[in-house]
Amino acid sequence: MIACITIGHAYKGENAGASYEGHQEVAMIRRYVAALRGRLMELGWAVTVSDKNRYSADKAAADAMGATVYVNAHINAGMGGKDSQRGEIFYDYQTSQQNGIALATTVARHLDDALPFAVLAKRCRPDTNGVARDGDYSEAYGCISGVRAVALCTEPFFLDGAHREELRTDATLDLIGALIAEGIDQWQRARSAK
């Protein structure tokens, strides 16, 4: 069982990605990815974490290793400071029911059960109309397309949504990472049992 994890935006520098109220996306991703890596390793997975390469290089490396799962990890902004919050776990629209759909659903369920808002598994696909940030979620698709492993783009919450103060704590980020790991492992064990 091999998991390859990419820290979203990190190859562009520590201040890349979203920021809100003085909190940087990359720093918080690093925290939850450390917990994700640690828990997966406890569960018997081999894990690599990348933060230096473009996504295409990370996907190629995952393919070379024969990765079981590829995760591109994020915590973007997009709620505009509203009193709402959500989490999104994206899977490739071409995937099968037992692969990406099942993996995203299992991870989303683990997070949804523990966090005070909905975490949804969402399909992403190539851009269909030239409009950025619409219902095709092509930005997430670009993060995970073209890799042979079963791939997810994780967006467990948004920096500028409700509950952000409690979500940005080390304890909650550690919990998020551990829950993603538990979901990945549960999916793999169910798939192996068939």
Side-chain angles (χ1 to χ4, degrees):
M1 300 180 299
I2 302 170
C4 295
I5 305 168
T6 292
I7 296 175
H9 309 292
Y11 73 90
K12 299 176 184 176
E14 289 305 303
N15 294 324
S19 63
Y20 194 76
E21 298 176 341
H23 295 272
Q24 294 295 132
E25 177 180 8
V26 171
M28 286 189 293
I29 296 170
R30 286 188 192 289
R31 182 73 192 212
Y32 90 75
V33 164
L36 166 56
R37 177 183 180 270
R39 183 64 183 130
L40 280 175
M41 291 177 70
E42 289 172 359
L43 292 165
W45 287 72
V47 183
T48 65
V49 176
S50 175
D51 64 356
K52 304 278 188 258
N53 304 312
R54 293 189 171 274
Y55 299 160
S56 57
D58 287 343
K59 294 174 198 175
D63 285 349
M65 283 183 242
T68 311
V69 172
Y70 175 79
V71 176
N72 197 303
H74 292 265
I75 306 175
N76 287 296
M79 304 301 294
K82 296 177 184 169
D83 291 331
S84 57
Q85 179 68 268
R86 68 181 182 276
E88 298 167 335
I89 307 298
F90 293 100
Y91 62 88
D92 186 327
Y93 77 108
Q94 300 174 97
T95 193
S96 67
Q97 183 70 37
Q98 69 271 18
N99 285 332
I101 297 170
L103 176 57
T105 301
T106 304
V107 169
R109 188 177 336 109
H110 274 74
L111 291 166
D112 189 67
D113 288 345
L115 299 175
F117 51 85
V119 179
L120 306 171
K122 289 191 172 183
R123 180 179 70 159
C124 59
R125 58 182 305 117
D127 183 54
T128 56
N129 59 11
V131 177
R133 308 203 181 282
D134 64 354
D136 55 27
Y137 302 108
S138 61
E139 297 81 12
Y141 181 72
C143 294
I144 61 174
S145 64
V147 65
R148 287 195 294 269
V150 181
L152 297 179
C153 177
T154 56
E155 191 85 65
F157 69 93
F158 288 82
L159 282 178
D160 57 344
H163 309 286
R164 59 187 175 270
E165 292 83 4
E166 63 190 273
L167 293 167
R168 296 180 303 207
T169 67
D170 288 348
T172 303
L173 292 167
D174 291 348
L175 174 64
I176 285 169
L179 290 168
I180 293 171
E182 296 282 348
I184 290 171
D185 190 67
Q186 182 181 354
W187 164 81
Q188 173 61 22
R189 293 187 189 284
R191 191 171 75 145
S192 296
K194 291 182 180 179

